[in-house]
Amino acid sequence: MLRGPDQLMQRSGDLERSAQFALSFADTLDKSLGQRLNQSSYLWTLPCSNVRVSCPLCGTMSCFLVRSAREVERESRFRARFVEARLGYPPSGLEAMDLTQFMHGGPAEIVACALCGTVRRYEEQTAQYESDRYDNALMRHLYPRYLDAFALKRAHFQTFLPASAEVLEVGSHVGAFLEIAETWGWKPVGLDVGRDTSAFARRRGGSV
Ligand SMILES: [Zn+2]
């Protein structure tokens, strides 16, 4: 359960710091991947251990390891400690959603296609987004931050499409991109199997 406005405010600061950490991690990953792609010998000296599924983008079977399942597990433990230290307790149940609990939150190899560089998680279990439960108060609390994050992408995104463009967002989550895209003059529609998140987006006026 949520613990009141003070902790929510503290928590939103934590989330912003977590987001900054994630961005710097993504940047590091990007550079590391770029280096590997520029050094073709890496493509074959760092093979994936068990990947038996072709690249969803180009169909190639060859790939290389970006992060081992063990490294991913270690980073997940680090994130859990980070969150717990700042909240003062380990979040559980609905409060933990997208904080320490994620649909694809288990340890799995992060692999990159040897041909096109597409990065993906390699895991056996099937995701069940439909039954993902979200706390409504938490979604309401976090929603403005999603809006701000998408609004900051305006200069980059708006160059892709003209005004009045019809846009389909696959995996529209709570609908923040849909709302922001409308302010850019686009006509966005969301597609998402998540029951709670889609209902929230519809209540905000989004077409999902
Ligand atoms: Zn590929």
Side-chain angles (χ1 to χ4, degrees):
M1 295 299 289
L2 299 178
R3 306 296 210 275
D6 286 347
Q7 285 204 315
L8 280 176
M9 287 311 291
Q10 180 193 339
R11 179 170 168 168
S12 64
D14 294 335
L15 287 170
E16 278 158 26
R17 280 190 288 278
S18 300
Q20 282 165 3
F21 171 79
L23 284 172
S24 69
F25 173 71
D27 191 43
T28 307
L29 184 62
D30 203 36
K31 282 185 185 131
S32 152
L33 180 61
Q35 280 167 5
R36 289 184 192 189
L37 287 173
N38 288 332
Q39 298 169 19
S40 56
S41 60
Y42 270 103
L43 302 184
W44 313 108
T45 54
L46 291 172
C48 309
S49 60
N50 297 307
V51 174
R52 296 285 177 270
V53 180
S54 60
C55 169
L57 193 62
C58 75
T60 299
M61 288 298 291
S62 302
C63 59
F64 62 92
L65 193 64
V66 177
R67 289 286 186 275
S68 69
R70 206 170 159 182
E71 286 175 293
V72 170
E73 190 175 20
R74 199 164 54 225
E75 286 172 10
S76 295
R77 281 203 302 268
F78 172 79
R79 180 184 57 220
R81 284 199 306 273
F82 176 90
V83 170
E84 184 176 345
R86 276 143 190 89
L87 284 180
Y89 59 89
S92 60
L94 292 180
E95 192 186 10
M97 280 304 287
D98 291 346
L99 203 55
T100 57
Q101 183 187 320
F102 303 89
M103 177 59 69
H104 298 281
E109 287 182 341
I110 308 293
V111 301
C113 171
L115 190 64
C116 73
T118 298
V119 177
R120 62 196 159 111
R121 279 174 63 88
Y122 184 68
E123 59 191 350
E124 304 281 349
Q125 84 240 32
T126 310
Q128 299 289 339
Y129 286 104
E130 301 94 312
S131 52
D132 235 3
R133 300 301 312 275
Y134 277 84
D135 183 275
N136 201 45
L138 184 59
M139 285 190 287
R140 263 203 321 274
H141 176 72
L142 294 177
Y143 190 74
R145 285 159 186 81
Y146 286 114
L147 285 179
D148 291 346
F150 284 118
L152 287 171
K153 296 177 187 288
R154 179 182 186 132
H156 179 63
F157 275 33
Q158 257 196 324
T159 59
F160 293 134
L161 295 169
S164 303
E166 293 182 330
V167 177
L168 173 67
E169 184 188 19
V170 179
S172 46
H173 195 228
V174 290
F177 171 75
L178 305 176
E179 186 168 334
I180 290 296
E182 278 187 18
T183 70
W184 299 345
W186 294 351
K187 295 173 182 165
V189 174
L191 183 67
D192 200 305
V193 295
R195 191 177 50 211
D196 291 353
T197 48
S198 296
F200 179 87
R202 284 188 210 101
R203 284 197 296 275
R204 298 280 313 182
S207 302
V208 181

